Amino acid sequence: MMEGLFANLGTLLEEDPAARERVNTLAQQAVRGTLGAAQGQLADFIAGVVARWDTATVVEKIELRVGRDLQFVRVNGTLVGFLAGGALFMLLTAVFGRVAH
């Protein structure tokens, strides 16, 4: 019985754009209503979990998961920052003649 109901619903949604839109709207309203009421509780829960994190443990776990690639990310970030800063310095010096430090 349920199988036939869902099969008919699937066919209806496939063939009728207006029905699809109505179901979509109802689903969005239901999710907004549910999440809207729980938004504060979710934010408090996440803030509590993050507040209990031990920085050293989190850093160690990230480094273990990422592994050697983390060192490449650090080096690449430093190099890109250096090159971008140097390029901006040269551009500003060329345009304005002198850059305040």
Side-chain angles (χ1 to χ4, degrees), residues 77-93:
T78 302
L79 291 174
V80 168
F82 169 76
L83 293 173
L88 283 173
F89 179 81
M90 289 179 1
L91 176 68
L92 291 173
T93 302

Side-chain angles (χ1 to χ4, degrees), residues 17-92:
R20 262 195 317 269
E21 186 60 35
R22 285 192 303 271
V23 169
N24 223 1
T25 301
L26 288 172
Q28 287 176 2
Q29 289 172 347
V31 168
R32 283 189 187 121
T34 304
L35 290 181
Q39 185 176 6
Q41 292 172 335
L42 286 170
D44 291 343
F45 172 75
I46 292 170
V49 168
V50 172
R52 288 190 300 270
W53 285 354
D54 174 39
T55 304
T57 304
V58 171
V59 168
E60 181 181 339
K61 286 182 180 186
I62 291 171
E63 287 178 345
L64 286 175
R65 295 256 188 222
V66 176
R68 288 178 27 121
D69 292 340
L70 186 59
Q71 192 62 31
F72 292 118
V73 169
R74 288 177 177 152
V75 170
N76 287 339
T78 302
L79 291 174
V80 168
F82 169 76
L83 293 173
L88 283 173
F89 179 81
M90 289 179 1
L91 176 68
L92 291 173

